[in-house]
Amino acid sequence: MSTNTRYVRIAGWGKALPRESVTNAALEGRVDTTDEWIRARTGIQERRIAGPGETTSTLATEAATAAMQRAGITAEDLDLVMVATCTPDYASMPSTASLVQDALHARRAGAFDLNAVCSGFVYALATASQFVLSGAYRNVLVIGAETFTRILDWQDRSTCVLFGDGAGAVVLQSTEQPGGLLSFVLGSDGSGACSLYVPAGGSREPTTAETVAERKHYVKMQGREVFRFATRIVPESVSQTLDRAGLVPGDIDLLIPHQANVRIIDAAVKRLGIDESKVFTNVQRYGNTSAASIPLALCEALDDGLIVPGDLIVMAGFGAGLSWATAAWRWQG
Ligand code: UT7
């Protein structure tokens, strides 16, 4: 075999979570909701909420530091820092990745954010892998990080109970060991943009006293529309991704779907016809952490020893955009 054959591997992984955990019961005192409703409709039991001093970049930096330690590299080794987020530290500039690059002292690294909302980590993973596979870079940090609770309207019970904060990171490295990224699908249907969005604060509706008074800087969601979209797109994009690699759903060793709602995950798994023992969930503990949900789940699956060399992992993101992104990954160890 040619010695020039290049693959991408995940050499290290790490996560970060805010200290404060808030249970559904605790929310009952704050919002017109019940533990029973939240559990039955979503499976969520608690979520982490960033406190003072905790931001998207601090969580991202903590997760990245753990990932680099596990990979056995220093910040000087990093060629690129990518942060997938829709809740950056600053609304328009600079990028959160620049703040992370500075906090890590990654002096050689380029840095940029990527926003594909809840699909962001898989979009970033597929993008970053191309830098490694092309030979342009040897060590790339890919982070999914959010402080989603900072854009929640605590007067809107249909959204505020669903989301949480956190970060997960991986170090991608060039390797000659076969495996890594096998195939991916990146998708978008912008006709559904207003199904899940923050109306004001951008160029379409800049911030004014009125937009603040009208609570237009908080997330708005048509939950049922997003639910219907998600239960259709996850099985579709997983099947398409597997097909591109000459694989079938029965080949999956671990499916890591975006952690939004156990009902969405159950419906997708049923349609794919895979055993539920092959599906990872932790939405119960963290709620929907948007771009952080898949790397957080990946980290926990790895830490729990659920992934061994040779395993086929499929990561499937979906969310605002509307967007979706699925990647099939052969774990090299
Ligand atoms: O990352 C992707 C992001 N988003 C998603 O994945 C969300 C996708 N959508 C969903 O997961 C579900 O649509 C929700 C969990 C958001 C809602 O579940 P649903 O079964 O679609 O409920 P619904 O919105 O149709 O609301 C049913 C009822 C309504 O009351 P009425 O009109 O039937 O009297 C709501 O007002 O539940 C009420 N409701 C609540 N009740 C207690 C809505 N939110 C709450 C709440 N507590 N927090």
Side-chain angles (χ1 to χ4, degrees), residues 33 37 41 118 157-158 221 223-224 227 258 260-261 264 288:
T33 191
W37 190 95
R41 300 286 173 135
C118 301
R157 68 176 181 171
S158 71
M221 180 170 73
R224 283 190 187 178
F227 191 94
H258 168 47
N261 183 324
I264 293 174
N288 181 344

Side-chain angles (χ1 to χ4, degrees), residues 31-34 37-38 41-42 118 157-159 161-163 196 221-228 230 258-261 263-264 288 290 318-320:
V31 183
D32 179 18
T33 191
T34 59
W37 190 95
I38 302 171
R41 300 286 173 135
T42 71
C118 301
R157 68 176 181 171
S158 71
T159 53
V161 302
L162 305 175
F163 296 91
L196 180 47
M221 180 170 73
Q222 303 298 324
R224 283 190 187 178
E225 275 176 33
V226 179
F227 191 94
R228 270 196 299 273
H258 168 47
Q259 304 288 309
N261 183 324
R263 285 163 58 218
I264 293 174
N288 181 344
S290 187
F318 61 87

Side-chain angles (χ1 to χ4, degrees), residues 71-89:
I73 64 163
T74 68
E76 292 287 344
D77 296 320
L78 287 176
D79 299 302
L80 183 66
V81 176
M82 285 177 65
V83 176
T85 188
C86 68
T87 50
D89 279 32

Side-chain angles (χ1 to χ4, degrees), residues 231-245:
T231 50
R232 175 179 59 81
I233 207 67
V234 175
E236 253 179 50
S237 69
V238 167
S239 299
Q240 209 182 346
T241 302
L242 289 169
D243 201 47
R244 286 183 184 180

Side-chain angles (χ1 to χ4, degrees), residues 200-201 205-218 220:
E205 200 169 352
T207 308
T208 62
E210 286 74 35
T211 61
V212 174
E214 289 164 11
R215 310 181 78 76
K216 287 183 162 178
H217 298 269
Y218 295 125
K220 317 279 178 213

Side-chain angles (χ1 to χ4, degrees), residues 29-325:
R30 195 168 168 181
V31 183
D32 179 18
T33 191
T34 59
D35 173 44
E36 196 195 344
W37 190 95
I38 302 171
R39 276 179 200 249
R41 300 286 173 135
T42 71
I44 298 165
Q45 298 172 17
E46 57 187 315
R47 74 284 294 138
R48 300 295 180 95
I49 296 189
E54 286 175 323
T55 71
T56 298
S57 73
T58 66
L59 293 169
T61 302
E62 191 183 327
T65 303
M68 281 162 39
Q69 232 160 37
R70 193 176 272 273
I73 64 163
T74 68
E76 292 287 344
D77 296 320
L78 287 176
D79 299 302
L80 183 66
V81 176
M82 285 177 65
V83 176
T85 188
C86 68
T87 50
D89 279 32
Y90 295 102
S92 59
M93 65 183 90
S95 73
T96 300
S98 294
L99 305 177
V100 175
Q101 174 269 323
D102 180 55
L104 294 173
H105 308 294
R107 278 176 280 267
R108 289 197 316 108
F112 68 95
D113 288 358
L114 182 154
N115 184 0
V117 201
C118 301
S119 311
F121 179 77
V122 180
Y123 259 91
L125 190 70
T127 305
S129 293
Q130 306 312 310
F131 287 101
V132 175
L133 293 169
S134 71
Y137 290 144
R138 291 192 63 78
N139 289 295
V140 179
L141 192 54
V142 184
I143 309 167
E146 304 279 12
T147 43
F148 209 95
T149 63
R150 298 261 158 85
I151 58 166
L152 290 177
D153 184 349
W154 292 98
Q155 293 180 13
D156 176 7
R157 68 176 181 171
S158 71
T159 53
C160 71
V161 302
L162 305 175
F163 296 91
D165 303 328
V170 295
V171 171
L172 296 187
Q173 239 171 31
S174 169
T175 179
E176 289 182 5
Q177 199 183 347
L181 183 66
L182 304 180
S183 60
F184 59 89
V185 164
L186 307 179
S188 174
D189 175 9
S191 70
C194 295
S195 302
L196 180 47
Y197 77 133
V198 175
S203 62
R204 190 168 291 227
E205 200 169 352
T207 308
T208 62
E210 286 74 35
T211 61
V212 174
E214 289 164 11
R215 310 181 78 76
K216 287 183 162 178
H217 298 269
Y218 295 125
V219 70
K220 317 279 178 213
M221 180 170 73
Q222 303 298 324
R224 283 190 187 178
E225 275 176 33
V226 179
F227 191 94
R228 270 196 299 273
F229 155 73
T231 50
R232 175 179 59 81
I233 207 67
V234 175
E236 253 179 50
S237 69
V238 167
S239 299
Q240 209 182 346
T241 302
L242 289 169
D243 201 47
R244 286 183 184 180
L247 297 163
V248 294
D251 294 322
I252 297 175
D253 292 299
L254 194 67
L255 176 67
I256 304 180
H258 168 47
Q259 304 288 309
N261 183 324
V262 287
R263 285 163 58 218
I264 293 174
I265 295 172
D266 288 348
V269 166
K270 205 174 266 176
R271 280 201 200 176
L272 284 165
I274 61 176
D275 196 281
E276 61 184 42
S277 65
K278 298 199 165 171
V279 184
F280 189 86
T281 62
N282 60 7
V283 65
Q284 299 86 345
R285 283 178 284 130
Y286 306 130
N288 181 344
T289 57
S290 187
S293 97
I294 289 178
L296 269 175
L298 176 67
C299 286
E300 296 201 338
L302 286 162
D303 289 340
D304 292 350
L306 299 178
I307 298 171
V308 296
D311 274 0
L312 174 67
I313 315 164
V314 173
M315 294 169 263
F318 61 87
L322 296 168
S323 66
W324 60 97

